[in-house]
Amino acid sequence: DAGVIQSPRHEVTEMGQEVTLRCKPISGHNSLFWYRQTMMRGLELLIYFNNNVPIDDSGMPEDRFSAKMPNASFSTLKIQPSEPRDSAVYFCASSFGSGGETQYFGPGTRLLVL
Amino acid sequence: SQQGEEDPQALSIQEGENATMNCSYKTSINNLQWYRQNSGRGLVHLILIRSNEREKHSGRLRVTLDTSKKSSSLLITASRAADTASYFCATDAVDNNDMRFGAGTRLTVKP
């Protein structure tokens, strides 16, 4: 099993540009989570999907952030336009069952917005 | 918002010693989990303890849960340098559909 796959692993972009992060959950998992981690704020849940439907997006910082899950094997997190304060490591995680079960994390995407 | 709060924020010990980390939370939970994160990597699940359990073991790990005090502890016995990492607790609150992570404890085990 390849585990949760995220791409790209690193992204450097300029302020104002659109950024798209991608995630492939573990096959058979029906819950998917996007997190953001910074030194200042720790690990923050951005949005949570169950069976491809967004369940809780209260952690999405603002309208510049959007997430989609068009099918059970793919999700995207988009930032448009990006700002320097969006610099962080973005993790995707998946689990089988409800949101409270064991989550399997991807390696993360390290984003730097200049 | 964060649910679990780990304590201490940082812990430094010698190899072979035991390491104890604590987690406190605020609302009723279904379960509590501990995760480990090595620098630059994703989180890795260590152990899950349900609200009706008081203690659980996995190898050198021992987790306790006291729902009356809304707290949990993670004990790593006979620590090794390879245990150096950040450790997070995560709670599955009864009134939520997702888990919330604490700020983590940074453990350093000196060889």
Side-chain angles (χ1 to χ4, degrees):
Chain A
D1 191 342
V4 175
I5 299 172
Q6 290 187 247
S7 66
R9 293 293 307 277
H10 303 272
E11 177 83 26
V12 180
T13 190
E14 292 186 337
M15 183 173 65
Q17 296 298 305
E18 177 179 297
V19 175
T20 299
L21 310 181
R22 297 172 179 80
C23 176
K24 177 178 168 55
I26 292 173
S27 177
H29 283 187
N30 62 344
S31 292
L32 183 141
F33 309 81
W34 282 102
Y35 292 91
R36 176 173 70 175
Q37 187 176 38
T38 62
M39 288 293 293
M40 291 294 293
R41 300 174 68 90
L43 192 66
E44 302 172 276
L45 175 67
L46 299 178
I47 187 169
Y48 152 49
F49 293 88
N50 184 252
N51 294 322
N52 311 338
V53 176
I55 303 299
D56 182 357
D57 65 354
S58 59
M60 295 286 263
E62 49 200 271
D63 292 345
R64 298 185 297 106
F65 285 68
S66 62
K68 294 182 180 178
M69 192 163 185
N71 57 62
S73 59
F74 184 65
S75 177
T76 59
L77 177 67
K78 187 174 291 186
I79 308 173
Q80 166 63 12
S82 58
E83 296 182 2
R85 61 190 167 122
D86 301 330
S87 297
V89 181
Y90 290 81
F91 289 102
C92 176
S94 70
S95 70
F96 178 73
S98 69
E101 296 305 315
T102 298
Q103 295 184 15
Y104 296 82
F105 280 74
T109 294
R110 189 173 295 273
L111 173 65
L112 178 60
V113 183
L114 302 173
Chain B
S1 62
Q2 292 178 345
Q3 159 80 309
E5 296 283 342
E6 289 90 342
D7 160 55
Q9 290 186 350
L11 180 62
S12 182
I13 60 174
Q14 293 293 134
E15 204 164 30
E17 294 180 340
N18 296 340
T20 300
M21 290 161 271
N22 302 297
C23 170
S24 58
Y25 56 92
K26 296 174 182 161
T27 63
S28 296
I29 61 171
N30 294 314
N31 67 59
L32 183 144
Q33 301 180 39
W34 285 91
Y35 287 77
R36 165 195 167 122
Q37 184 181 33
N38 286 71
S39 182
R41 303 284 188 94
L43 279 71
V44 175
H45 177 259
L46 294 176
I47 197 165
L48 181 154
I49 187 166
R50 302 202 182 274
S51 60
N52 61 352
E53 297 176 309
R54 292 295 166 260
E55 188 170 314
K56 208 161 182 180
H57 298 254
S58 176
R60 294 183 295 114
L61 305 181
R62 173 176 167 252
V63 168
T64 62
L65 179 64
D66 187 335
T67 52
S68 66
K69 295 181 180 177
K70 292 186 168 56
S71 67
S72 172
S73 67
L74 170 67
L75 169 68
I76 304 175
T77 59
S79 64
R80 305 167 183 167
D83 294 329
T84 294
S86 292
Y87 292 82
F88 295 85
C89 70
T91 50
D92 172 28
V94 168
D95 58 355
N96 251 338
N97 287 321
D98 52 56
M99 286 198 306
R100 302 287 165 162
F101 285 80
T105 292
R106 175 70 189 164
L107 173 66
T108 302
V109 182
K110 301 175 186 175

